[in-house]
């Protein structure tokens, strides 16, 4: 996730977008907004989103459709998603949401303090996860480069020097029978 990654807030109601932006402003993170599922997907695919606050029920592409699409793509499958719903607790929605791997399902009206706490934790955890993945890739590249040099050196050590005398080993040729008798 780039250092300029943002939290994308997606809702088809302007007043909800404004309320969520106001609740999250004290965190100091960059915030983006979208009013449709299509618009949200376009922004997510541009690679600048580190967390998605997503309304479940929107006209056209629903929040669940957005999550389904994101989970199919490697570049977006690990972006944390918090689904927002104003229609109350629904067992089917909850099951579907968590089966898709959403981080949380939050009921409206939203407690600003609780939302800030969740967002801070999820956004920072995602940034740390991506930083560790980047570090692992760098270390693997170093090990691979270092390993190639080690393999060349090891091959040189394993091959005998052309002047080295290799002693004749027992059990070769006609003397095989003698070796078998010695074992008995």
């Amino acid at each position: 996730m780039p250092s300029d990654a943002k939290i994308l807030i997606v809702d088809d109601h302007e007043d909800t977008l404004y309320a969520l932006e106001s609740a999250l402003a004290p965190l100091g993170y960059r915030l983006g907004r979208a009013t449709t599922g299509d618009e949200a997907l376009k922004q997510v695919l541009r690679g600048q989103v580190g967390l998605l606050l997503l309304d479940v029920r929107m006209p056209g592409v629903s929040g669940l459709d957005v999550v389904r699409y994101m989970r199919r793509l490697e570049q977006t499958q690990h972006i944390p998603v918090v689904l927002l719903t104003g229609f109350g607790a629904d067992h089917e929605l909850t099951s579907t949401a968590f089966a898709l791997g959403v981080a949380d399902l939050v009921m409206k009206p939203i407690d600003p303090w609780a939302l800030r706490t969740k967002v801070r934790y999820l956004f920072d955890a995602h940034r740390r996860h991506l930083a560790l993945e980047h570090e692992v890739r760098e270390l693997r590249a170093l090990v691979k480069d270092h390993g190639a040099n080690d393999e060349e050196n090891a091959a040189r050590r394993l091959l005998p020097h052309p002047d080295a005398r290799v002693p004749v080993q027992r059990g070769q040729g006609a003397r095989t029978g003698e070796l078998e008798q010695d074992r008995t």
Side-chain angles (χ1 to χ4, degrees):
M1 174 169 60
S3 60
D4 60 342
K6 64 187 171 195
I7 295 168
L8 182 61
I9 305 167
V10 185
D11 200 295
D12 56 323
H13 295 100
E14 283 291 325
D15 55 338
T16 304
L17 287 171
Y18 178 75
L20 291 169
E21 287 172 334
S22 297
L24 297 176
L27 294 176
Y29 299 133
R30 283 188 54 232
L31 302 174
R33 61 167 39 202
T35 56
T36 68
D38 285 331
E39 187 182 341
L41 280 172
K42 288 176 186 174
Q43 289 192 46
V44 167
L45 291 172
R46 287 186 198 121
Q48 300 297 311
V49 175
L51 183 124
L52 195 62
L53 292 175
L54 182 62
D55 187 25
V56 173
R57 291 186 175 99
M58 294 182 290
V61 178
S62 74
L64 289 173
D65 292 335
V66 171
V67 177
R68 282 186 189 100
Y69 187 79
M70 288 174 58
R71 296 307 184 232
R72 283 186 267 169
L73 300 176
E74 186 176 341
Q75 76 185 68
T76 60
Q77 65 185 347
H78 297 296
I79 296 173
V81 175
V82 175
L83 285 177
L84 310 171
T85 183
F87 292 96
D90 174 356
H91 178 69
E92 185 177 330
L93 171 62
T94 303
S95 297
T96 303
F98 287 113
L100 289 170
V102 301
D104 204 355
L105 178 63
V106 177
M107 304 299 160
K108 297 176 186 174
I110 297 168
D111 174 11
W113 181 86
L115 182 65
R116 281 191 297 271
T117 302
K118 289 175 188 199
V119 165
R120 181 184 302 121
Y121 172 78
L122 291 168
F123 192 70
D124 291 347
H126 186 62
R127 281 199 293 196
R128 285 190 305 273
H129 174 78
L130 292 177
L132 285 173
E133 279 184 346
H134 179 72
E135 190 173 335
V136 165
R137 281 192 301 276
E138 287 179 349
L139 289 172
R140 284 187 177 148
L142 284 173
V143 168
K144 184 177 179 182
D145 291 344
H146 186 68
N149 292 337
D150 280 352
E151 288 175 15
E152 291 171 13
N153 292 335
R156 285 190 206 120
R157 286 191 302 264
L158 291 176
L159 293 175
H161 191 274
D163 294 336
R165 293 182 169 235
V166 179
V168 177
Q169 297 179 2
R170 292 185 76 193
Q172 292 181 359
R175 299 189 57 164
T176 305
E178 290 177 6
L179 182 62
E180 289 175 7
Q181 289 177 1
D182 289 344
R183 290 186 191 159
T184 56

